[in-house]
Amino acid sequence: MIIQTGLCDGMVLQRTRDNTCDTAVAGTCAGAGRLVARVRRNGRIVPGFGARPIGHAARGRLEGRLRGLPAGGPYDIELALAGAPGAAPERAVIRNVRVGDLWILGGQSNMEGIGRLEDAAKPDPGVRAFYMNDVWAVARDPLHNLSQATDAIHHELGTARRPGIGTGPGVAFGQAMAQASGVPQGLIACAHGGSSMAQWDPALKRKGGGSLYGALLRRFRKNGGRVAGVVWYQGCSDTAPAQAALYTRRMRRLVRASRRDLNDPRLPWAIVQIAGVYNKGWNSAGWNSVQDQQRRLPETIPHCAVVPAIDLAFDDGIHISGKDQQRLGRRLAQAMRVLRGDRRAGRPPNHRRLRRAGAVAHDRVHVPGRRRPDGSAVQLVALHRRGGRVPPVGAGTPRRRRAGD
């Protein structure tokens, strides 16, 4: 018996509204008959899971649904065929499975993680990751082990990474969600540095692991076909004028397709508004256009929140520092909690166009969790000039985080 989708050693299963799992299981087998599940926690049978029927097997295939396992864990799950008398026994044991919330991490390099590893968050056993080689383990940076990726698209796009870097927002996001929810968290790493919206086109899903969107769907299905939401940082590769003009349309198409293909019409998306850029050669007008379009996404995409990154420190000319990637992860978690109706989460981040003085527009951004010494909330102001030379927010000399900052 081989389980191909739905259950993996060390995984996190997505919980339902009643705080239990409901996951589709499929695989191959030699026999036929009822598929039954026996579940243990700490060596003891979980009540109701001594030999629970969950599906059937026939003609070399098995299919079923594992329902009702409470949030928490870890669980050891034994699947077996109750076949004809005298038939050779078939079984598979999947160990160290938890039930909680499962998240897709997508986008390009600042989601992949290019911050310094010396600033990475310390691992938490309750936050796990589905790495790019289809292995579950405790979540630690770098989450996106591109050189070991199962899907061909990641090798096609390139897997090089400088030594000593790899911190992104995902681990801090998962840890903040675990602290707020009290249940295990799982992160499905899907991002790739330098990727554009064209490369994330849902129309390419027919290529399977030969496209970014197809690879995302394969990894989604392998983990039971349920997730809690999508965490997204992308846009830098779409700041050339021709691509910037298409950004909102492409983003709306991507979100719409994900909600269809991930079987959730209200699937929440927490999106980062791209920060600044200190490297030469970037188009200021296009960069500011993408920033402004991202600020407006919640106006046309329901169940979507956009968080700012314009105040965060950098480790190089375009990548957020390892320390501030942790701050960004917590910011994304706060936004996701608001989207999911957590009343304890506070007010969502917001971006508000204040006024236009000549050709320059001023945007004010409320940043959750940031306070001045007097206790007042921090609000950031971004300047944009239509078709002009005002540089992208933060342009100039990279601000690196000082000790104690």
Side-chain angles (χ1 to χ4, degrees):
M1 179 185 295
I2 299 175
I3 305 303
Q4 296 172 317
T5 61
L7 288 171
C8 310
D9 287 342
M11 76 180 304
V12 176
L13 290 170
Q14 178 58 44
R15 60 176 171 163
T16 61
R17 289 176 180 264
D18 66 0
N19 229 29
T20 63
C21 76
D22 181 0
T23 185
V25 180
T28 61
C29 58
R34 286 189 307 159
L35 181 65
V36 298
R38 180 176 290 108
V39 183
R40 293 181 172 86
R41 183 180 182 188
N42 298 326
R44 298 182 178 181
I45 294 291
V46 175
F49 287 88
R52 174 176 288 202
I54 67 166
H56 293 84
R59 295 184 292 277
R61 294 290 303 172
L62 64 86
E63 293 183 352
R65 293 197 76 90
L66 179 64
R67 295 185 174 98
L69 199 59
Y75 301 106
D76 292 334
I77 302 171
E78 178 185 339
L79 301 183
L81 286 185
E90 287 190 74
R91 61 192 289 270
V93 179
I94 303 92
R95 302 188 184 280
N96 197 23
V97 175
R98 292 165 168 81
V99 178
D101 290 325
L102 194 53
W103 309 96
I104 286 176
L105 309 181
Q108 55 183 115
S109 57
N110 270 310
M111 180 57 72
E112 175 192 323
I114 310 295
R116 295 172 184 167
L117 284 173
E118 64 190 47
D119 297 324
K122 294 181 179 179
D124 177 342
V127 180
R128 307 185 68 80
F130 190 55
Y131 290 87
M132 306 201 88
N133 57 344
D134 283 10
V135 171
W136 277 94
V138 173
R140 68 180 73 232
D141 288 309
L143 294 179
H144 292 79
N145 52 336
L146 294 174
S147 65
Q148 302 173 50
T150 299
D151 294 299
I153 184 61
H154 296 294
H155 299 277
E156 179 184 328
L157 295 179
T159 63
R161 176 182 287 134
R162 300 192 309 275
I165 66 169
T167 297
V171 174
F173 168 83
Q175 291 179 357
M177 293 301 293
Q179 183 177 12
S181 67
V183 302
Q185 302 291 305
L187 309 170
I188 302 179
C190 297
H192 197 111
S195 56
S196 66
M197 288 299 293
Q199 291 169 319
W200 282 98
D201 189 347
L204 300 176
K205 70 178 181 180
R206 64 187 182 278
K207 298 176 69 175
S211 74
L212 290 172
Y213 188 76
L216 181 155
L217 289 183
R218 184 195 68 79
R219 291 165 66 72
F220 164 77
R221 291 165 181 155
K222 187 170 181 62
N223 286 287
R226 285 180 179 270
V227 293
V230 177
V231 185
W232 184 261
Y233 193 140
Q234 193 279 337
C236 305
S237 292
D238 286 84
T239 54
Q243 283 69 48
L246 301 173
Y247 179 81
T248 297
R249 186 187 314 169
R250 285 172 164 171
M251 195 69 209
R252 291 179 64 182
R253 183 166 62 231
L254 176 62
V255 174
R256 184 168 59 248
S258 74
R259 289 172 174 169
R260 177 193 65 228
D261 295 334
L262 275 58
N263 309 313
D264 185 350
R266 296 169 60 90
L267 185 73
W269 275 65
I271 299 170
V272 182
Q273 182 194 44
I274 58 174
V277 60
Y278 304 108
N279 295 338
K280 295 180 180 179
W282 294 87
N283 183 280
S284 297
W287 195 281
N288 289 160
S289 172
V290 169
Q291 287 177 315
D292 192 50
Q293 290 178 71
Q294 289 175 327
R295 156 183 95 80
R296 295 176 177 272
L297 287 177
E299 298 173 8
T300 58
I301 301 177
H303 315 297
C304 162
V306 176
V307 305
I310 60 175
D311 60 319
L312 301 181
F314 279 35
D315 275 345
D316 60 27
I318 197 171
H319 296 116
I320 294 171
S321 73
K323 287 185 177 179
D324 270 13
Q325 282 283 19
Q326 294 188 49
R327 176 174 288 170
L328 180 60
R330 293 190 292 270
R331 194 171 290 175
L332 283 162
Q334 192 268 348
M336 188 62 78
R337 291 173 60 201
V338 172
L339 285 173
R340 302 185 78 203
D342 185 345
R343 296 181 180 179
R344 301 170 299 164
R347 58 187 283 205
N350 61 74
H351 306 246
R352 190 160 51 90
R353 176 59 54 91
L354 292 180
R355 65 185 183 275
R356 183 173 294 276
V360 179
H362 299 69
D363 288 352
R364 178 158 291 171
V365 184
H366 164 70
V367 184
R370 298 290 308 266
R371 294 281 173 181
R372 297 187 180 91
D374 64 1
S376 61
V378 169
Q379 292 192 341
L380 306 170
V381 176
L383 304 180
H384 306 276
R385 174 173 291 165
R386 182 178 299 176
R389 296 296 299 166
V390 173
V393 173
T397 303
R399 184 176 72 86
R400 293 182 169 84
R401 185 154 298 282
R402 302 181 300 273
D405 187 8

